[in-house]
Amino acid sequence: MALQVHQFPCRTDNYGFLAHDPRQGVTACIDTPDEDPINAALEEKGWHLTHILNTHHHGDHTGANTSLKKRWGCTIVGAANDAERIPGIDVGMTDGDQYQFGSLTADVFEVPGHTTGHIAFYFSSEGIAFVGDTLFALGCGRLFEGTPEMMWNSLQKLMALPDETIVYCAHEYTQSNAKFALSVEPENAELVARSQKIDALRAVGKPTVPTTIGQERATNPFLRPMSENLQKTIGLSGADLVSVFAETRLRKDNF
Ligand code: ZN
Ligand code: FE
């Protein structure tokens, strides 16, 4: 694997990620939740920050863009259609674009729903995806700016990636997500087993991120509107998938 990923906690429940290509000596920070832990991580690894890859405009994802750019002179890559909300953006990306990062290529997907200008970066040669606040371990982002239909379309783009794809999501929300997931799909044996593993990891302060597409497809209720067990629990047996997804999201908001 050519891309080295270093993950570290930021703020209350964010993760910071550094992605390093040793062949060309470039390093990207995926989103910029907080300046100090990012600089500390760069120092620890001995890497120079050359890029910021922003998934969306929220402050816990772009808050340190300006200060990091000032210090490192790095190139900031983000969603073209949200450029006015991404501080310091240099390169705007749209759906289907590819970004050349050192010797590696990132495929860019537009995945609106949490915000209208949310994008994901997929390094197909590495089997690695950075998905921001669109897909979480056992969860998905709140619909602050988009519709359920928009978000369901976005999640389907991510679901189409290979099962073994390693998914870096931006928050450690998994334990509370698991409680909700069990409430809507209690008969999913894989979910029951996974939630026990999650409790064990969190009890000793270990991260539950990254996850994989295959694991999420098997246990994440937001990727499972087709599940008969889920449909039955929320009283929507046989309903269309967008309606089931929308009701699942609504119930999570009120959980
Ligand atoms: Zn967000
Ligand atoms: Fe966030």
Side-chain angles (χ1 to χ4, degrees):
M1 206 177 271
L3 190 70
Q4 300 172 357
V5 179
H6 177 60
Q7 175 179 327
F8 49 96
C10 280
R11 301 168 70 119
T12 330
D13 51 32
N14 281 79
Y15 284 118
F17 306 104
L18 297 178
H20 179 69
D21 169 19
R23 285 192 291 229
Q24 296 208 2
V26 291
T27 303
C29 187
I30 317 303
D31 290 329
T32 61
D34 201 0
E35 183 184 0
D36 289 347
I38 291 169
N39 282 322
L42 286 162
E43 191 176 341
E44 181 194 332
K45 302 302 285 184
W47 295 342
H48 281 260
L49 189 68
T50 52
H51 296 75
I52 291 169
L53 307 182
N54 281 133
T55 62
H56 67 296
H57 76 89
H58 283 157
D60 62 317
H61 298 260
T62 60
N65 273 21
T66 307
S67 55
L68 289 169
K69 188 175 184 177
K70 198 170 161 197
R71 172 165 176 173
W72 297 94
C74 50
T75 299
I76 300 183
V77 182
N81 70 359
D82 220 358
E84 70 285 356
R85 296 196 291 183
I86 298 174
I89 189 170
D90 297 296
V91 185
M93 294 276 117
T94 56
D95 197 45
D97 279 353
Q98 294 192 317
Y99 186 72
Q100 194 64 35
F101 170 68
S103 65
L104 300 157
T105 304
D107 295 319
V108 174
F109 303 127
E110 287 182 2
V111 284
H114 178 66
T115 66
T116 48
H118 199 303
I119 56 174
F121 296 90
Y122 172 53
F123 291 87
S124 59
S125 67
E126 313 300 299
I128 287 176
F130 294 97
V131 300
D133 286 359
T134 296
L135 176 63
F136 293 125
L138 292 179
C140 77
R142 270 178 194 264
L143 303 183
F144 287 119
E145 299 176 8
T147 63
E149 187 169 20
M150 208 182 260
M151 187 58 136
W152 173 235
N153 285 336
S154 296
L155 291 172
Q156 283 179 285
K157 286 186 193 176
L158 299 177
M159 284 167 73
L161 298 176
D163 274 354
E164 60 276 15
T165 306
I166 297 167
V167 177
Y168 289 96
C169 34
H171 290 271
E172 180 62 62
Y173 289 156
T174 317
Q175 203 167 22
S176 63
N177 286 346
K179 288 193 184 77
F180 172 74
L182 285 168
S183 80
V184 289
E185 208 184 11
E187 287 160 36
N188 182 335
E190 237 179 286
L191 171 61
V192 172
R194 186 180 176 193
S195 80
Q196 287 163 359
K197 279 187 205 147
I198 288 161
D199 287 343
L201 284 170
R202 296 310 295 154
V204 293
K206 286 194 177 155
T208 63
V209 174
T211 178
T212 64
I213 290 293
Q215 183 166 236
E216 294 312 312
R217 285 171 62 101
T219 53
N220 185 329
F222 298 100
L223 302 188
R224 297 176 57 74
M226 62 296 284
S227 155
E228 285 176 23
N229 182 206
L230 185 149
Q231 290 183 2
K232 196 176 89 195
T233 313
I234 66 172
L236 284 176
S237 290
D240 66 281
L241 299 185
V242 174
S243 303
V244 176
F245 172 78
E247 174 65 17
T248 308
R249 186 57 258 181
L250 193 66
R251 286 185 181 227
K252 175 67 166 65
D253 292 341
N254 300 317
F255 188 66

